[in-house]
Amino acid sequence: MTNQSQQIYKKLQILLKDLPWYVEEYINHKKRKLSAASLLNYAHDYKIFFNWLIDEEVFNGKITEVPLELLESLTVQQAEGFLSYLQYQLNNKEITVNRKLSALKSLFNYLQNIAETRDLKPYLQRNVMAKIEFNEIKDSMETIANKIEGKILIGDEYEKFRQFIAYDYGLQIKENKKLYNFHLLNRERDTAIVSLILGSGLRLSEVVNLNLDDIDYSKYTARVIRKGNKEQFVYFSKLAMDDLQEYLSIRESKYQVDKSNKALFIAAAMGPKGKPRRLTARSIEKLIEKYAAAFGKPSLSVHKLRHSFATRYHNEINDVPKLRRQLGHSSIQTTMIYTHIRNDDLRHAVDKMDLPKDEA
């Protein structure tokens, strides 16, 4: 287990102390199947739900005291009321409401169909969440694809953005010595991070958790732990390997990192007594935001770089099952979105409709 996962599990254990006993039992049941981050998200969702029960006076007492009998007696109207609260008071998008509902459905299903008392009876006889339907997401795949397309790197922008981080950004901020020196320290690392995501489609958490020995330098693969704690070796591009090798050549000298520190991407020590440490997810998000804004494409994010890779992969290889495996999607429907981005053949066919017959 990585240090990051251990930290997440610690946060999870603290959060579980504020939730009913059967939630902790459910989380323990799911530990083999879900990542630490997913379990922590589930626990946060449950806390919102139980807080709502108390705020609405469905239950008077502490969250830890909410009995199974209360869950069993919840009405459909009350469950729908919670979803309305998420959407209209917390301003959650429909897809976020669906995610929180999915978490509740999973918990209630466990309580009704998996968990059992000593006399072999289910914890719940009645499951109100089984009666609640998910929000129908109004956007079609084409609409989602169109929204993504305007926010990702297309065509020669891949290399332009990479070159911008490696060289042009430094020229842009050269007059500010503090910023310029900070960039000189981190440009090989930052270029390698962006190049790796653009050359593999790795998730942010997967990049953060990479260790030195996770990279296979002969096969151009990175060992990652995907959702559901599944180990996978993910291919990345030769260009990403070149940038990674350049970063590794200066990693120890620039960051003064001890050989016992196996984290691939390092943050410099803070202060005279600080030690080099693993670069955090938020730090990577912030550095992408910084470069994206200076590049003139502020909508770029780590996830948009992943979208950029997937779009390029599909355009060049057009193999959805392979792309699904590369991205680690559990559902092929998620991967199918990329078949709707930059469909140049379709656009060309439509354009030809307006041409005279002898030009078409």
Side-chain angles (χ1 to χ4, degrees):
M1 186 185 296
T2 65
N3 288 336
Q4 179 105 0
S5 295
Q6 289 175 345
Q7 290 172 5
I8 292 173
Y9 271 121
K10 285 180 182 177
K11 291 180 182 178
L12 177 61
Q13 293 306 315
I14 292 170
L15 185 53
L16 286 175
K17 291 178 181 178
D18 296 328
L19 293 169
W21 61 270
Y22 45 83
V23 173
E24 182 173 7
E25 184 179 305
Y26 164 78
I27 293 292
N28 288 333
H29 169 74
K30 283 289 186 179
K31 274 183 178 176
R32 289 186 296 108
K33 299 178 181 178
L34 295 176
S35 68
S38 295
L39 293 172
L40 183 61
N41 286 335
Y42 272 33
H44 279 299
D45 292 341
Y46 298 145
K47 189 165 185 179
I48 293 170
F49 172 66
F50 286 111
N51 271 327
W52 178 82
L53 290 177
I54 291 169
D55 290 342
E56 292 294 309
E57 297 184 352
V58 178
F59 177 73
N60 294 313
K62 298 178 180 177
I63 289 180
T64 53
E65 298 170 348
V66 175
L68 287 165
E69 292 78 15
L70 182 111
L71 301 187
E72 196 169 51
S73 65
L74 286 175
T75 66
V76 170
Q77 290 80 4
Q78 287 172 322
E80 294 283 5
F82 173 66
L83 300 183
S84 295
Y85 164 75
L86 292 176
Q87 188 163 350
Y88 298 111
Q89 290 187 247
L90 296 189
N91 296 317
N92 287 170
K93 293 180 180 178
E94 290 179 338
I95 194 168
T96 305
V97 174
N98 279 354
R99 183 182 63 76
K100 287 180 165 61
L101 175 57
S102 178
L104 284 170
K105 279 179 172 287
S106 183
L107 172 63
F108 275 65
N109 178 68
Y110 169 79
L111 298 175
Q112 182 187 38
N113 298 313
I114 299 173
E116 55 190 18
T117 62
R118 289 182 179 178
D119 53 355
L120 305 182
K121 291 183 179 179
Y123 285 0
L124 296 184
Q125 296 288 343
R126 176 179 168 276
N127 178 358
V128 68
M129 292 301 167
K131 302 180 180 184
I132 308 300
E133 296 180 355
F134 288 107
N135 280 325
E136 188 174 331
I137 305 300
K138 298 180 178 65
D139 287 348
S140 66
M141 282 193 176
E142 288 85 353
T143 303
I144 295 171
N146 287 335
K147 287 180 178 178
I148 292 172
E149 185 174 339
K151 299 176 181 178
I152 63 175
L153 298 172
I154 296 291
D156 61 359
E157 288 182 330
Y158 292 86
E159 182 57 16
K160 283 182 178 178
F161 187 56
R162 177 186 159 276
Q163 289 284 341
F164 179 78
I165 296 168
Y167 305 107
D168 298 337
Y169 178 77
L171 297 176
Q172 195 177 99
I173 53 128
K174 200 167 185 179
E175 298 305 315
N176 187 324
K177 286 189 177 181
K178 185 177 180 180
L179 286 181
Y180 183 64
N181 289 334
F182 186 75
H183 175 66
L184 287 181
L185 171 66
N186 295 311
R187 65 178 178 177
E188 292 91 355
R189 181 200 68 187
D190 296 353
T191 304
I193 289 171
V194 168
S195 195
L196 183 60
I197 299 171
L198 285 176
S200 67
L202 288 176
R203 294 181 176 92
L204 173 60
S205 60
E206 293 164 352
V207 174
V208 169
N209 289 324
L210 282 173
N211 289 325
L212 293 170
D213 55 5
D214 288 328
I215 305 298
D216 188 318
Y217 299 95
S218 60
K219 296 181 179 178
Y220 291 55
T221 61
R223 173 188 170 274
V224 298
I225 304 299
R226 308 220 100 148
K227 289 186 175 181
N229 286 325
K230 295 176 183 176
E231 181 183 78
Q232 186 179 330
F233 292 86
V234 180
Y235 291 99
F236 56 89
S237 67
K238 183 181 184 303
L239 183 58
M241 176 62 86
D242 291 342
D243 289 335
L244 195 56
Q245 293 278 26
E246 187 170 353
Y247 159 66
L248 289 172
S249 70
I250 56 86
R251 176 181 172 274
E252 284 190 25
S253 59
K254 274 197 173 184
Y255 294 96
Q256 299 295 302
V257 62
D258 190 278
K259 289 186 178 181
S260 63
N261 189 334
K262 299 300 182 182
L264 179 60
F265 293 115
I266 297 292
M270 298 286 286
K273 294 184 179 180
K275 290 184 178 180
R277 64 206 185 283
R278 184 185 297 271
L279 198 63
T280 65
R282 184 58 193 135
S283 294
I284 294 178
E285 286 176 331
K286 286 172 71 176
L287 71 87
I288 298 299
E289 290 167 5
K290 175 184 70 177
Y291 291 125
F295 184 67
K297 201 148 186 171
S299 60
L300 269 182
S301 63
V302 178
H303 201 60
K304 296 299 187 300
L305 294 182
R306 178 171 152 88
H307 284 321
S308 300
F309 162 81
T311 302
R312 188 180 194 181
Y313 187 103
H314 176 70
N315 284 343
E316 295 185 5
I317 298 178
N318 193 19
D319 189 324
V320 174
K322 283 184 180 177
L323 178 57
R324 176 191 178 186
R325 184 185 182 282
Q326 178 76 17
L327 296 174
H329 286 159
S330 56
S331 168
I332 201 164
Q333 291 300 115
T334 308
T335 317
M336 289 297 291
I337 290 171
Y338 301 106
T339 66
H340 297 270
I341 298 178
R342 288 290 273 196
N343 193 332
D344 293 323
D345 292 338
L346 178 59
R347 291 179 186 180
H348 182 59
V350 172
D351 289 341
K352 284 176 67 176
M353 290 170 59
D354 292 331
L355 295 175
K357 294 288 184 183
D358 57 342
E359 291 184 38

